[in-house]
Every structure is written in C-alpha cells, then in structure tokens.
C-alpha cells in the first residue's frame, strides 16, 4: 500500500472515530473513495480489525501525555503497596538471624 493510501485510510478511521461511528472496512473504503484515493479493501478491513474495540480518541490523547511511563508508574504503585509487607518480613528475618547467631557461637551473655 502506498503512503498516500495508508494516510487516507488512517484519516478515514480518524474521521469515523471523531464522528462516533463504528470503524469498518466498508466505511473506510467509502471515505477514501470519496476522497478519490484508491485503497484496497483488504487493507481497509485490516485497519478496521486492528482498531476494533479500541478507543481511538483515547489513544490520540495519550500520544502527547507520555503514555509510555504510565505502565511503569502503575507497576511502581503496585509494588509500593506490597513493599511495606515485604519490609516487615525482611525485618522479621533479620531479627531471627540475630537471635540464631548468639546460639551458634556456643555461649550467651550470662554463661
């Protein structure tokens, strides 16, 4: 598919999303035909399937908002919630290790 046809199909999908109309291969083909750009129906249907069930408007607004960092921030927040529990367990293990180390030496403070 040529660059012009790719852009035309993409713009057609954006027009449909902006109007709140379901994005289908037939509608993409109709819009590109009205613009006098030849797009093979298979490419229009593949684009429609790729966008099926996705919120195109939300994808567009996420482009400039640094969307790549959001999953990392979400993972950090999820890990942050579990971190206090992990720290408590680590502290308990350290305390147990200190108690055991006195026994391993063979003598105590008051022996």
């Amino acid at each position: 598919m040529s660059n012009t046809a790719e852009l035309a199909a993409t713009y057609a999908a954006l027009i449909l999303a902006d109007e709140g109309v379901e994005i289908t291969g037939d509608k993409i083909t109709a819009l590109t035909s009205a613009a006098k750009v030849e797009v093979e129906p298979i490419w229009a249907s593949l684009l429609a399937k790729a966008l099926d069930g996705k919120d195109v408007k939300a994808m567009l607004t996420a482009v400039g908002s640094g969307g790549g960092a959001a999953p990392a921030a979400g993972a950090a927040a999820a890990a942050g919630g579990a971190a206090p529990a992990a720290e408590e367990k680590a502290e308990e293990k350290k305390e147990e290790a200190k108690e055991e180390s006195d026994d391993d030496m063979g003598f105590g403070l008051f022996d």
Side-chain angles (χ1 to χ4, degrees):
M1 179 161 38
S2 71
N3 285 341
T4 305
E6 288 176 20
L7 282 172
T10 304
Y11 288 147
L14 291 174
I15 290 168
L16 293 170
D18 189 48
E19 292 298 318
V21 178
E22 181 183 4
I23 300 171
T24 65
D26 293 335
K27 291 177 184 175
I28 291 172
T29 303
L31 282 173
T32 55
S33 295
K36 298 181 182 162
V37 177
E38 184 180 336
V39 175
E40 294 181 39
I42 186 69
W43 295 115
S45 66
L46 286 174
L47 178 61
K49 285 182 183 180
L51 296 174
D52 186 37
K54 298 197 176 46
D55 187 4
V56 177
K57 288 183 180 182
M59 290 183 346
L60 287 173
T61 57
V63 170
S65 66
E87 288 176 11
E88 289 176 16
K89 288 181 182 179
E91 288 176 15
E92 288 175 11
K93 288 181 182 180
K94 287 180 184 179
E95 290 176 2
E96 290 176 11
K98 288 179 184 177
E99 292 174 2
E100 292 174 6
S101 65
D102 291 340
D103 294 336
D104 290 341
M105 298 174 87
F107 61 91
L109 183 61
F110 298 106
D111 285 340

